[in-house]
């Protein structure tokens, strides 16, 4: 028997009456960054030195300990316990990195600069590494943005994703080295998988803003509008977006807005955007009801939406401090039957930080335990073959927070706390999703599945 979708008439989103005040946003201080560097070096006791690489896209490890992300060139930081950190920058980074408040020495290495800029004023990288004490006696942990596993290589500790010229310079020094991204990003112990209260509050602010802008976008859609016209509805401000805003009206994957593709009644649509610590995304139908769809799609989409919403509800209800990612993965599988047949290609959710995807504990038989202080995304798209390319997706964020952390959030950011409590209540009482107390939704459209984006007052809920 096919599953039927249960909907209610509901207007608007959560927390419409609570303004977003940026003057309440916490500030990450010099002392905070110093503390992070200290924790990193303590965790890295097996290494004599650390080398952290960053560029415009892969900045999060460096930004976490300095507040600096290179916008126009590459960058490196060298760390050693008991020594002043060295920031290795190109020409523009000499000035752009003035935002860093922790004590450090700035070293010019012009090969980090774009081609055509000045060269000849800096030492070779091998000399710089040697000046910092990286020689044949050193054991260097190298951090870029990705670790590897035995499924990918016979020797994951010695597989590196940072540029070859850096690995070559380290090899020339005679040192030993390992991929050390686990220090920051490992599901079990990575420093950037569990966060302080300031970061949790910043995530709530970012997610509130991103969800409201995404809602404004979908409310402004009109049939016949081009993707580039629709993109203006996001009204994006100057805060960095870790991913490009996604607008796709049909069948082209995630691309930049097209000048010519137009929004068609009854057609598929994908859209979303995010800021650091937050990502919001939706996939569905621009339709008023199933009658707007082509006949071949009508028979499959209702069951898809019904099953998908139940999977999302179970995913949220499975979350809790002390739960393993593998347990959540299995609970979702019980609803959908098969990830592959249901058209879910990736994990059912992941961790987020200043990049859109840090790591994911939600894997089959995963043993990583969910902890207080984690920033987690509900994020899985379903495109079963039976729906011939049509799909559904709701992506929103949440915080896991124990009683003590919740109280500290309430004390430091009462507006953020109130919004999250309102979301908890809405998801429980309206959507029928029974969240545990430690699950704090950060998006004002969290868990809200609109089957018809041309009728935003239609909302899927649990069958009572």
């Amino acid at each position: 028997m096919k599953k039927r979708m249960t909907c209610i008439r509901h207007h608007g989103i959560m927390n419409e009456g609570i303004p977003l005040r940026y003057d309440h946003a916490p500030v990450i201080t010099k002392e905070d960054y110093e503390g992070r560097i200290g924790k990193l070096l303590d965790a890295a006791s097996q290494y004599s030195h650390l080398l952290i690489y960053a560029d415009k896209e892969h900045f999060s490890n460096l930004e976490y300990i300095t507040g600096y992300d290179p916008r126009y060139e590459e960058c490196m930081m060298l760390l050693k316990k008991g020594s002043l950190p060295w920031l290795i920058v190109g020409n523009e980074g000499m000035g752009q990195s003035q935002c860093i408040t922790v004590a450090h020495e700035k070293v010019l290495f012009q090969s980090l600069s774009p081609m055509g800029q000045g060269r000849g004023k800096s030492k070779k990288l091998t000399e710089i590494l040697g000046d910092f004490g990286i020689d044949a006696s050193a054991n260097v942990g190298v951090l870029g943005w990705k670790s590897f596993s035995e499924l990918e290589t016979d020797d994951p500790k010695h597989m590196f994703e940072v540029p070859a010229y850096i690995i070559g310079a380290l090899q020339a020094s005679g040192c030993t080295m390992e991929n050390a991204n686990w220090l920051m990003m490992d599901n079990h112990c990575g420093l950037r998988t569990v966060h302080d209260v300031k970061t949790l509050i910043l995530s709530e602010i970012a997610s509130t803003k991103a969800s409201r802008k995404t809602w404004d976008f979908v409310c402004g859609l009109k049939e016949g509008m081009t993707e580039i016209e629709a993109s203006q509805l996001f009204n994006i401000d100057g805060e960095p977006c870790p991913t490009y805003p996604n607008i796709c009206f049909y069948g082209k994957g995630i691309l930049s807005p097209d000048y010519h593709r137009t929004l068609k009644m009854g057609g598929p649509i994908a859209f979303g955007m995010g800021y650091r610590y937050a990502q919001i995304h939706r996939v569905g139908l621009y339709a008023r009801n199933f009658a707007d769809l082509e006949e071949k799609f009508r028979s499959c989409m209702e069951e898809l939406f019904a099953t998908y919403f139940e999977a999302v509800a179970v995913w949220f209800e499975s979350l809790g401090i002390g739960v393993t990612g593998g347990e959540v993965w299995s609970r979702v599988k019980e609803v959908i039957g098969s990830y592959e047949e249901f058209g879910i290609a990736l994990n059912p959710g992941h961790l987020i930080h200043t990049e859109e995807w840090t790591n994911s504990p939600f894997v089959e038989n995963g043993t990583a335990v969910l902890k207080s202080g984690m920033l987690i995304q509900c994020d899985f798209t379903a495109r079963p073959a039976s729906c011939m390319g049509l799909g559904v997706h709701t992506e929103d964020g949440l915080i896991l927070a124990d009683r003590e952390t919740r109280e500290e959030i309430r004390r430091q950011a009462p507006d953020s706390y109130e919004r999250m409590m309102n979301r908890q209540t809405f998801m429980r009482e309206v959507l029928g999703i029974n969240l545990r107390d430690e699950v704090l939704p950060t998006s004002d459209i969290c868990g809200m599945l609109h089957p018809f984006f041309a009728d935003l007052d239609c909302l899927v809920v649990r069958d009572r």
Side-chain angles (χ1 to χ4, degrees):
M1 181 176 178
K2 291 186 176 181
K3 293 183 179 180
R4 300 298 299 272
M5 183 174 69
T6 301
C7 295
I8 62 170
R9 303 302 294 177
H10 172 80
H11 184 73
I13 61 174
M14 299 174 243
N15 292 312
E16 287 185 315
I18 302 178
L20 183 58
R21 296 184 55 182
Y22 301 109
D23 56 330
H24 290 182
V27 176
I28 309 297
T29 65
K30 172 177 178 287
E31 291 73 24
D32 294 324
Y33 290 122
E34 289 173 342
R36 293 175 179 181
I37 291 175
K39 289 181 180 179
L40 174 60
L41 288 171
D42 287 344
S45 58
Q46 69 196 78
Y47 304 112
S48 63
H49 302 75
L50 295 178
L51 184 153
I52 300 175
Y53 171 85
D55 60 23
K56 180 181 178 181
E57 182 177 1
H58 309 107
F59 63 88
S60 290
N61 284 335
L62 179 66
E63 193 275 341
Y64 177 73
I65 59 172
T66 65
Y68 173 58
D69 61 297
R71 304 292 176 92
Y72 304 107
E73 60 186 21
E74 301 162 88
C75 181
M76 286 179 280
M77 175 161 270
L78 303 178
L79 293 172
K80 180 182 179 182
K81 203 158 192 175
S83 298
L84 197 66
W86 281 19
L87 184 74
I88 317 300
V89 293
N91 296 314
E92 293 177 274
M94 292 295 288
Q96 291 166 355
S97 60
Q98 291 182 34
C99 62
I100 299 178
T101 55
V102 295
H104 65 285
E105 181 173 337
K106 204 169 296 186
V107 178
L108 177 65
F109 176 51
Q110 291 173 296
S111 296
L112 295 170
S113 302
M115 294 189 298
Q117 289 190 11
R119 300 291 195 269
K121 292 183 179 179
S122 58
K123 293 182 178 180
K124 295 178 180 179
L125 183 55
T126 50
E127 296 177 85
I128 294 172
L129 296 176
D131 290 344
F132 195 70
I134 296 178
D135 55 24
S137 67
N139 180 24
V140 182
V142 180
L143 291 84
W145 63 92
K146 186 185 297 185
S147 296
F148 302 94
S149 73
E150 290 79 5
L151 297 175
E152 302 164 277
T153 176
D154 292 335
D155 188 9
K157 287 185 178 180
H158 297 101
M159 186 170 179
F160 301 98
E161 80 289 16
V162 301
Y165 69 88
I166 296 175
I167 300 303
L170 289 169
Q171 289 173 333
S173 75
C175 72
T176 59
M177 54 183 159
E178 288 184 358
N179 185 316
N181 285 294
W182 64 271
L183 289 166
M184 292 284 204
M185 305 171 74
D186 182 79
N187 284 320
H188 295 271
C189 61
L191 296 180
R192 290 201 300 111
T193 62
V194 175
H195 302 285
D196 57 27
V197 168
K198 287 183 178 180
T199 301
L200 302 182
I201 294 168
L202 289 171
S203 175
E204 194 281 332
I205 291 171
S207 189
T208 300
K209 180 166 67 168
S211 62
R212 291 180 180 184
K213 287 180 178 289
T214 301
W215 182 250
D216 289 343
F217 169 88
V218 70
C219 286
L221 291 175
K222 291 182 175 57
E223 188 178 6
M225 181 179 279
T226 65
E227 289 179 355
I228 196 66
E229 289 171 336
S231 70
Q232 299 172 61
L233 297 170
F234 278 123
N235 191 28
I236 296 172
D237 58 21
E239 191 169 350
C241 300
T243 59
Y244 291 108
N246 170 35
I247 303 164
C248 181
F249 286 167
Y250 55 89
K252 297 294 183 181
I254 297 179
L255 296 173
S256 299
D258 187 88
Y259 292 162
H260 306 292
R261 284 199 300 270
T262 57
L263 185 59
K264 293 178 172 57
M265 187 62 67
I269 182 172
F271 58 92
M273 60 89 59
Y275 294 103
R276 291 177 182 177
Y277 313 110
Q279 185 75 19
I280 309 295
H281 194 258
R282 294 293 187 270
V283 171
L285 302 170
Y286 187 73
R288 293 160 296 201
N289 49 54
F290 287 125
D292 284 333
L293 305 183
E294 294 180 45
E295 181 66 33
K296 63 181 179 181
F297 295 124
R298 294 177 192 172
S299 62
C300 69
M301 291 307 292
E302 181 173 5
E303 183 173 13
L304 172 60
F305 283 133
T307 304
Y308 181 84
F309 184 75
E310 181 61 22
V312 167
V314 166
W315 184 90
F316 273 108
E317 291 177 342
S318 301
L319 297 177
I321 296 169
V323 175
T324 67
E327 290 176 80
V328 178
W329 189 95
S330 295
R331 288 288 308 280
V332 172
K333 185 176 185 294
E334 290 172 7
V335 176
I336 62 176
S338 164
Y339 278 87
E340 182 176 4
E341 292 179 10
F342 199 61
I344 297 176
L346 305 179
N347 315 61
H350 57 89
L351 305 182
I352 193 172
H353 186 223
T354 47
E355 76 273 72
E356 187 268 342
W357 183 301
T358 304
N359 203 339
S360 178
F362 304 110
V363 297
E364 186 174 11
N365 301 318
T367 60
V369 174
L370 305 184
K371 305 179 185 71
S372 178
M374 282 186 164
L375 299 175
I376 300 176
Q377 291 291 112
C378 177
D379 178 11
F380 50 102
T381 304
R383 293 185 187 274
S386 60
C387 291
M388 296 158 281
L390 297 187
V392 59
H393 182 214
T394 66
E395 179 177 3
D396 299 285
L398 63 99
I399 291 166
L400 275 187
D402 58 23
R403 185 185 300 273
E404 182 180 354
T405 302
R406 296 196 299 271
E407 180 57 27
E408 187 59 25
I409 293 173
R410 187 197 63 78
R411 188 187 69 80
Q412 290 191 29
D415 289 359
S416 290
Y417 183 82
E418 181 183 3
R419 286 191 292 264
M420 290 189 287
M421 291 301 101
N422 289 342
R423 294 171 190 133
Q424 266 192 351
T425 299
F426 182 91
M427 292 180 72
R428 290 166 175 164
E429 297 182 0
V430 178
L431 301 181
I433 301 175
N434 297 308
L435 303 176
R436 301 187 195 191
D437 289 344
E438 63 259 41
V439 178
L440 306 182
T442 57
S443 160
D444 276 337
I445 55 175
C446 195
M448 297 175 73
L449 174 57
H450 295 87
F452 311 116
F453 286 122
D455 178 10
L456 295 174
D457 289 345
C458 181
L459 186 65
V460 179
V461 298
R462 234 30 177 315
D463 187 0
R464 306 292 175 103

